Amino acid sequence: MAAVALTPGQSEALSELREIVRINEGRVRIEDVRDPQQEDLSLAVDMAIDCRGETTAESSVPLEDWEPVTVLVPPRFPFEHPEVTLPHRRFAGLPHVMWADAICLYLAANDWDPGRRMHGFVGQLLTWFEEVARGTITGPEVPWHAPLTGPRTGEYLMIRTDLPESLENDSALWLALAVVQSIGGGRHDVRRWLRGRDEANEIRAWHDRRFSEGDFDVRGMIFLAPAVALPEPVGFAYPRSREELLTALAGQGLAQRDYRELREFTRDFNGGIWDGYDPAPDLLLLGSPAPDRYAIPSRIAHVAAWALDLGEDLDEVGWLTVFDQRPRITTRRDTTRPAQWLVGKRVLVLGCGALGAPTAEFCVRAGAAETYVIDDAEVRPGVLVRQPYTFEDIGRNKATALAERLSVINPDALVLPMPFDAIDLITGEPPMSEVDLVIDATANRSVASALEWARWTAEGRQPPLLSMMVGHDCERAAATLALPGASGAGVDILRRLGITASTDADLHDVLDDFFPAQPRGAPFQPEPGCSDPTYVGSAADLAAFAGQLLNDGLAILTSAEKAHDTAFPRRWASVARTSTAGAAGVARQRLSWPNDQVRLDPVLRYQMRVDPAALASMRREVDLMADRRGLHVETGGMLLGQIDQASRVVWITDADGPPPGSEASAEGLKLDPTAARGWARRRRRLTRGMVAYIGAWHTHPDYLALPSPKDREAMDEMASDGMPVLLMILGGGSGRLSRWVAGNELPDMHLQLFFPDPEDGRDAPVLP
């Protein structure tokens, strides 16, 4: 066969080799050049390395005066590195020697530097021979490669379960059984390891029961494969022929009789299960330990799978590709990253849209044991722009379609669709306390309010709640995280973020995006029939924001678990911006707030949340009044905050002193409600309505914190303009108020809502 023309890269490599011979003063020489016989073959250059006088008492292997090597230059040189073969097997067993006749100079593709070309390659080859001569040749510092196997069958074996302790602790040669599931498409999964034949009978009973119950799928059929654990490392490669392999196994102590008996047992077992179907795969698993220098925490470092059913008369051994994913020896690629928090967790994702769907996928890939996805909407054509559905999914329920796709990522993980309204789950049974994390990606105000209400009214454990949202033009995103023990949930923390943004110049863009002062113009409705106004944003935008917000939330959860500190904040928010929006502030910000003081209106069943800053303002006012007129004179003022009748929460965000026109005396305090509301108007405008006048507070210096008839009469009058108002009394019985002013303890607190009188034509709230 005539030689083919060299590629430009091969021609350059040959020129470089000749130049290296010239400048290396006889250290290397070219013996022969054999052009490739086909276009996809390598250029073969036979060379000799001068090793005269190099062999010493410490040499790994005695070297000849001139050591022959063949350099194979691939057609794509320098973008593909050359290889080195040997015309002998004297170096078998040395580090970096594979198949006993090839030297592996590069452990990975990125070890090869194309810029150094043949000069770098020859330099590395000479270094290898020098280290052999000195006896200092070492293998890679990590277990980078399993022993090489020969021709592949095209099938593969997945190992996802660790060896039992009894086998891990047995360092001698042993024979065992692997329970393998035939998945189909040439794939087989090791599901369990058995010490002996008695355990195999349990597997047979399980299979028979499964068959009788109708839970039977040919693609999921099981079979047994004998497994041999070798006591010594194999080296860089298994023998190529059947005869050499059997001889090598016998050399490690495998008795042919034991091997034959185990094979006969597995064949009989598999024949009984696969009766009436094609024969079960006939495999032999070979496990080898790692060299001593490798710290692999398993008796078996590498597993190879020999396909025995190619025929006993064939000399060549057929091997399956093995993907070894045993937890004991596998290091996840996301280790040390925030997503590690999700391993083994149960996660509930509310909303399967542009944020929820990628977030659910991130959870499954991170190793969540159970992921529940809930959404009652169907897939529409327009959402394919940014939501991970296909044309075939149009008209299907989002939760169902998403769960089907995510279920194939990890067969050991449960992905369960819930194709109904999230509010039904929040307000019904079973409680959300059964999961480890709730993620609200609905961006739905009703869902957020239901969550806020459910978190403070439900009894028992409350999992962390991570709520996500994006701005109207997808330039910004925000997330809130309520840790267990937080005084509020998503609505609470988002409101807190907005209030903070109203006085922080670095967050003004967030205030304008998520809390606009005026309603935006025409809503964005992308297609006819889209009933809900939406936002502009691409799949890339939403996936990026979903990943950032999830990562930040998981990082906080990880820190909280490590802190073991009651002072660790329980309410958090994260803000993320695109590069174009970053000019308005830093790309990412994380904020936290201490818990509010929480009290309950015992009559109307509203939860009252008193900001520590509001209490501090009241304390200052009480202290000032005590300095001016004595501690026995009542004082008080306005309460600023918000009343949310949907989640039945009242926020007391700030407290001012008495507005103009107020009267304070030892007998009581009288406020003018009209003056009070006018006094708070600027605060309401700055906070976009989140901090407004909601009621009044005053002290009972010498009495318990209980409303007097005058207090009730005053509050009824304040509510007469149609707005509910809050009364807060700080009591001083038994010197409690004076101790609070001294900084020793909190005062008695009474908080009560007063609604307009229904006899005036206005409805009072109905108790739940």
Side-chain angles (χ1 to χ4, degrees):
M1 183 182 295
V4 299
L6 301 182
T7 65
Q10 289 172 327
S11 297
E12 293 170 2
L14 184 57
S15 297
E16 291 171 14
L17 284 175
R18 287 171 173 155
E19 177 65 14
I20 290 169
V21 169
R22 186 184 67 80
I23 65 176
N24 267 271
E25 300 178 352
R27 179 71 194 278
V28 296
R29 67 190 187 200
I30 296 177
E31 304 286 355
D32 190 19
V33 176
R34 288 170 286 140
D35 292 338
Q37 301 299 303
Q38 297 179 24
E39 291 184 358
D40 58 346
L41 295 182
S42 296
L43 165 70
V45 182
D46 295 328
M47 304 186 70
I49 310 296
D50 185 2
C51 297
R52 290 174 293 183
E54 296 290 333
T55 298
T56 65
E58 291 77 23
S59 295
S60 304
V61 171
L63 297 176
E64 302 291 339
D65 288 346
W66 287 90
E67 283 290 347
V69 298
T70 297
V71 176
L72 302 175
V73 182
R76 296 193 301 171
F77 178 87
F79 306 114
E80 185 178 353
H81 66 76
E83 296 179 352
V84 181
T85 62
L86 304 165
H88 57 76
R89 301 170 65 87
R90 289 186 293 109
F91 296 157
L94 287 183
H96 300 269
V97 175
M98 301 180 300
W99 297 115
D101 58 5
I103 303 175
C104 180
L105 297 178
Y106 302 98
L107 305 183
N110 282 338
D111 288 345
W112 162 250
D113 182 358
R116 297 186 62 194
R117 303 175 67 90
M118 292 306 299
H119 291 274
F121 173 79
V122 173
Q124 190 131 331
L125 180 61
L126 294 177
T127 298
W128 188 86
F129 275 100
E130 290 168 0
E131 291 180 350
V132 171
R134 293 194 299 264
T136 58
I137 186 71
T138 60
E141 295 301 321
V142 294
W144 65 281
H145 212 302
L148 294 179
T149 54
R152 303 300 174 91
T153 65
E155 299 187 352
Y156 59 96
L157 182 76
M158 177 82 75
I159 306 174
R160 294 187 286 124
T161 181
D162 282 321
L163 293 169
E165 290 297 325
S166 60
L167 296 180
E168 286 283 10
N169 297 329
D170 190 345
S171 59
L173 181 140
W174 50 254
L175 282 77
L177 295 166
V179 180
V180 187
Q181 187 174 26
S182 181
I183 303 301
R187 171 183 161 182
H188 313 285
D189 285 8
V190 174
R191 307 296 292 176
R192 185 175 171 185
W193 301 90
L194 308 179
R195 180 77 195 201
R197 304 178 189 181
D198 292 341
E199 296 180 47
N201 293 327
E202 299 177 12
I203 299 298
R204 179 58 183 269
W206 168 83
H207 174 272
D208 292 344
R209 184 171 59 253
R210 178 173 169 234
F211 183 85
S212 65
E213 293 172 354
D215 181 19
F216 191 75
D217 179 2
V218 175
R219 288 171 55 84
M221 291 177 67
I222 63 168
F223 61 94
L224 295 184
V228 179
L230 304 175
E232 300 295 334
V234 171
F236 274 83
Y238 279 98
R240 293 183 179 181
S241 71
R242 180 185 298 273
E243 181 180 355
E244 289 177 328
L245 180 57
L246 293 175
T247 300
L249 296 179
Q252 292 227 27
L254 178 61
Q256 290 297 309
R257 185 183 64 183
D258 294 338
Y259 165 64
R260 284 196 301 270
E261 288 180 356
L262 191 61
R263 283 204 62 197
E264 290 172 2
F265 174 80
T266 57
R267 281 176 171 172
D268 291 342
F269 181 95
N270 295 339
I273 289 181
W274 289 62
D275 184 28
Y277 299 93
D278 292 336
D282 195 2
L283 306 180
L284 172 65
L285 307 188
L286 299 172
S288 60
D292 293 339
R293 63 182 177 276
Y294 296 148
I296 296 181
S298 177
R299 159 74 171 88
I300 300 300
H302 304 294
V303 178
W306 178 13
L308 301 172
D309 51 1
L310 293 182
E312 297 287 356
D313 56 332
L314 294 179
D315 185 58
E316 194 173 64
V317 179
W319 301 87
L320 278 70
T321 299
V322 174
F323 299 115
D324 197 341
Q325 295 294 302
R326 286 175 288 156
R328 185 187 298 269
I329 68 169
T330 301
T331 301
R332 290 181 57 94
R333 285 170 166 80
D334 59 1
T335 187
T336 74
R337 300 301 301 155
Q340 277 284 287
W341 188 90
L342 288 164
V343 174
K345 296 293 198 303
R346 297 162 298 174
V347 183
L348 171 63
V349 180
L350 307 178
C352 300
L355 280 176
T359 299
E361 180 170 340
F362 298 153
C363 293
V364 174
R365 293 191 184 280
E370 300 173 11
T371 303
Y372 303 91
V373 291
I374 181 169
D375 203 313
D376 63 347
E378 65 183 15
V379 178
R380 295 174 175 269
V383 305
L384 301 185
V385 170
R386 65 185 182 206
Q387 298 183 20
Y389 300 101
T390 66
F391 191 80
E392 287 72 19
D393 291 326
I394 292 173
R396 301 183 66 202
N397 172 260
K398 285 185 178 181
T400 302
L402 180 64
E404 285 183 8
R405 187 173 68 83
L406 299 186
S407 293
V408 300
I409 294 175
N410 180 359
D412 291 332
L414 172 66
V415 183
L416 183 65
M418 295 181 171
F420 47 81
D421 194 322
I423 295 178
D424 293 337
L425 177 71
I426 296 168
T427 59
E429 297 290 340
M432 290 183 293
S433 60
E434 296 181 0
V435 300
D436 299 301
L437 175 64
V438 177
I439 300 175
D440 176 18
T442 61
N444 183 291
R445 293 181 180 180
S446 295
V447 172
S449 294
L451 282 168
E452 194 72 42
W453 172 81
R455 293 223 10 135
W456 78 261
T457 57
E459 297 181 358
R461 171 181 173 272
Q462 290 295 326
L465 170 62
L466 178 65
S467 302
M468 301 177 171
M469 62 217 75
V470 296
H472 72 286
D473 56 3
C474 222
E475 289 287 318
R476 297 162 197 83
T480 65
L481 176 62
L483 297 179
S487 59
V491 173
D492 175 286
I493 304 173
L494 183 63
R495 176 182 176 275
R496 184 69 262 183
L497 173 63
I499 294 171
T500 302
S502 69
T503 58
D504 186 339
D506 290 338
L507 290 169
H508 275 178
D509 64 316
V510 175
L511 183 70
D512 291 336
D513 202 346
F514 293 97
F515 309 93
Q518 299 294 332
R520 293 192 175 90
F524 172 61
Q525 292 187 277
E527 63 215 14
C530 180
S531 58
D532 295 327
T534 183
Y535 55 91
V536 176
S538 70
D541 294 328
L542 275 301
F545 277 140
Q548 289 184 64
L549 299 178
L550 179 64
N551 257 357
D552 215 41
L554 297 177
I556 296 169
L557 286 169
T558 302
S559 298
E561 290 184 352
K562 293 178 179 178
H564 300 294
D565 184 358
T566 56
F568 191 88
R570 315 311 293 173
R571 298 187 296 167
W572 292 81
S574 299
V575 174
R577 300 177 175 89
T578 64
S579 57
T580 54
V586 296
R588 295 179 67 181
Q589 287 176 271
R590 185 188 293 177
L591 305 94
S592 65
W593 301 272
N595 271 347
D596 291 336
Q597 288 290 326
V598 176
R599 297 293 188 272
L600 184 67
D601 182 324
V603 178
L604 298 179
R605 301 291 296 174
Y606 271 69
Q607 190 182 63
M608 313 294 180
R609 301 176 186 173
V610 187
D611 193 300
L615 275 175
S617 296
M618 296 179 211
R619 182 178 160 188
R620 285 193 299 271
E621 181 61 33
V622 172
D623 195 24
L624 288 172
M625 179 62 74
D627 285 342
R628 292 196 305 264
R629 303 179 60 182
L631 192 59
H632 297 287
V633 176
E634 286 192 15
T635 188
M638 298 184 301
L639 293 177
L640 307 179
Q642 191 173 3
I643 300 173
D644 184 345
Q645 297 185 49
S647 57
R648 304 185 75 84
V649 172
V650 177
W651 287 281
I652 300 95
T653 307
D654 205 351
D656 284 345
S662 303
E663 299 177 7
S665 68
E667 289 74 31
L669 175 73
K670 184 176 181 180
L671 300 179
D672 181 352
T674 303
R677 286 196 169 90
W679 191 259
R681 193 171 292 121
R682 181 175 180 274
R683 185 89 161 110
R684 177 185 177 90
R685 185 176 65 254
L686 289 176
T687 61
R688 313 290 166 87
M690 289 176 285
V691 179
Y693 172 78
I694 59 170
W697 69 276
H698 69 270
T699 60
H700 282 184
D702 299 314
Y703 306 99
L704 296 178
L706 294 174
S708 67
K710 286 187 176 181
D711 292 332
R712 295 181 183 277
E713 181 180 343
M715 298 309 294
D716 286 337
E717 180 182 349
M718 295 178 71
S720 62
D721 63 355
M723 300 295 292
V725 290
L726 174 68
L727 170 65
M728 180 176 184
I729 302 174
L730 305 178
S734 303
R736 187 76 173 268
L737 201 62
S738 60
R739 290 195 296 273
W740 175 50
V741 172
N744 295 326
E745 60 181 298
L746 288 173
D748 289 330
M749 282 187 270
H750 176 87
L751 294 104
Q752 183 176 343
L753 271 176
F754 287 79
F755 279 81
D757 188 343
E759 293 182 1
D760 293 338
R762 291 177 285 267
D763 293 332
V766 179
L767 297 182

